[in-house]
Each structure stands twice: as C-alpha cells, then as structure tokens.
Amino acid sequence: KAGVTQTPRYLIKTRGQQVTLSCSPISGHRSVSWYQQTPGQGLQFLFEYFSETQRNKGNFPGRFSGRQFSNSRSEMNVSTLELGDSALYLCASAPEEALNTEAFFGQGTRLTVV
Amino acid sequence: LAKTTQPISMDSYEGQEVNITCSHNNIATNDYITWYQQFPSQGPRFIIQGYKTKVTNEVASLFIPADRKSSTLSLPRVSLSDTAVYYCLVGPYNQGGKLIFGQGTELSVKP
C-alpha cells in the first residue's frame, strides 16, 4: 500500500505570494491533517479534514486554509506569504475509524519564503 | 489536553537500553499515551500506544504506572539509526486526526 504522498517536496516563494501544497492520503483513509514544523515552534497542528469537511482547526491565521476532495486528497493554501511561514509542512492521514492515535505522515513539503 | 514534559535531549551508546520518561500530571481518564519518532526532514512515525501497565511491540516497550501521571518509553539495544526525536502525546482515543505534539526528546546514539 502506498504511503502518504506530498507534493512538491521543496518550494521557494517570495513574500506576499500564495502557495498551494498537495497531499494524497493512504488509500482508504478519509482523515487528512496538516501540521507546520519550525525550529522555534516545533510541530503544530493546522487543521484536519474528514469527508471533505474541516473537522478540527488549530490556532493559525486565516491565511492558512485547506480543502479536501471527494477522493480524500487534500490541498493546503497559504496566502500573502510571510518570512515566518518558512517551515516543513507535514500531512498525515488516519483511517476512518481512527481506532487509535496512529496517524501516517508524509515526507513533508519544505517551504522557504524569501 | 494534558500537558507533557520530557527531557529535551538524551545521549546513549549503541547496544544500550534507553528509557525516556514523560510526565503528564493532568492526564484525563479517557486519555491514551502515544509515542512518535521523527527523523530529520521526515514526518513522525507512530511507535507505540498504551493506556495502563505495560505494552510491548517489536520496536519498543511502554511502561505506565498505576497513577498514569508519567510513562516511560523503553528502547532495547539502540543502534545509530535510533537517533531521532521522540515525542510523547497524551489525548483521547480516536484522536489520530488531531495530534498535539510537545517539544520532544532528541536522542543521540553514539558508536
């Protein structure tokens, strides 16, 4: 079974631009979550989507948004990029029942804002 | 969600057993304890989960005392490839969609 796939792996953007990151979950998984990891703040939860609906949301500004498609693939968008948005963005998928706290993470997208 | 406290870093040598303790004094009755491992520039990987007493799998053991206010992740006979950051998470069951990570413990295994 293929793992969680995130594209692109690396991205360089200019301050003020917007960016879209993509995540394909493990086949059959309907929960997709996004996380931001920086050296200063660590791993922080952004939001979770389940069956095309945002089910949980972390404490991030409205510039961070996401969506999930009917095939469970998810995209995350960051508008008006700031230097502080430079981070590793991780996507994780979990089974529908989420019978435990096991989530499966992708390799991440390394975003650099210059 | 219960707050967790772990050592920021630990050093060990190959072949030794490593025990990483996590404090979670405010753990709730329906909270489970989960550990994740993360290598540089990779996503975290689930290691083990438990509710009470002891849980063992092919990778690690998890010891949880009766009061559940702490837990210990035990890695037997570590190798260089076990060098990683280890996170202790505490939260309700069925929480795979929203994980709250603490600072983690950076384990360095030396030859």
Side-chain angles (χ1 to χ4, degrees):
Chain A
K1 206 182 237 189
V4 176
T5 304
Q6 291 187 246
T7 57
R9 288 294 311 279
Y10 302 92
L11 206 50
I12 300 176
K13 287 287 189 178
T14 303
R15 192 171 49 181
Q17 287 186 314
Q18 68 93 26
V19 67
T20 299
L21 311 181
S22 180
C23 173
S24 293
I26 291 173
S27 178
H29 287 190
R30 294 169 60 187
S31 166
V32 175
S33 304
W34 289 89
Y35 297 81
Q36 181 196 65
Q37 186 169 31
T38 61
Q41 299 298 319
L43 253 170
Q44 293 185 282
F45 171 77
L46 279 157
F47 32 65
E48 181 212 4
Y49 285 86
F50 182 83
S51 292
E52 302 179 63
T53 301
Q54 188 179 85
R55 185 160 70 172
N56 286 296
K57 188 177 189 304
N59 189 28
F60 277 81
R63 298 186 298 107
F64 293 82
S65 63
R67 60 177 175 169
Q68 187 180 33
F69 302 95
S70 58
N71 62 358
S72 293
R73 190 177 70 85
S74 177
E75 287 182 347
M76 190 194 105
N77 186 77
V78 187
S79 63
T80 319
L81 284 166
E82 301 176 359
L83 296 179
D85 296 332
S86 295
L88 179 66
Y89 289 89
L90 292 159
C91 165
S93 74
E96 176 177 353
E97 293 300 322
L99 294 177
N100 57 29
T101 49
E102 181 173 7
F104 298 82
F105 283 81
Q107 297 267 53
T109 294
R110 173 76 63 185
L111 172 64
T112 302
V113 182
V114 297
Chain B
L1 293 170
K3 179 179 166 56
T4 59
T5 303
Q6 309 173 227
I8 292 177
S9 64
M10 292 181 68
D11 290 330
S12 182
Y13 291 93
E14 282 191 293
Q16 288 188 332
E17 177 185 74
V18 171
N19 295 308
I20 305 174
T21 298
C22 178
S23 297
H24 29 79
N25 292 317
N26 297 322
I27 189 168
T29 304
N30 63 338
D31 282 344
Y32 280 70
I33 299 151
T34 311
W35 286 80
Y36 276 78
Q37 173 193 56
Q38 186 181 25
F39 299 112
S41 297
Q42 291 189 27
R45 181 176 75 104
F46 174 93
I47 300 176
I48 197 166
Q49 180 192 54
Y51 183 79
K52 61 180 179 181
T53 63
K54 177 184 173 182
V55 180
T56 297
N57 62 23
E58 64 278 5
V59 177
S61 294
L62 179 58
F63 298 91
I64 306 169
D67 66 7
R68 304 197 331 119
K69 293 184 183 300
S70 68
S71 59
T72 299
L73 175 73
S74 181
L75 304 172
R77 297 180 299 282
V78 293
S79 64
L80 296 176
S81 63
D82 292 315
T83 294
V85 178
Y86 292 83
Y87 294 95
C88 165
L89 287 75
V90 173
Y93 206 54
N94 296 352
Q95 202 68 7
K98 179 183 178 182
L99 301 174
I100 304 301
F101 290 84
Q103 65 183 14
T105 297
E106 189 169 0
L107 172 66
S108 177
V109 180
K110 302 173 183 177

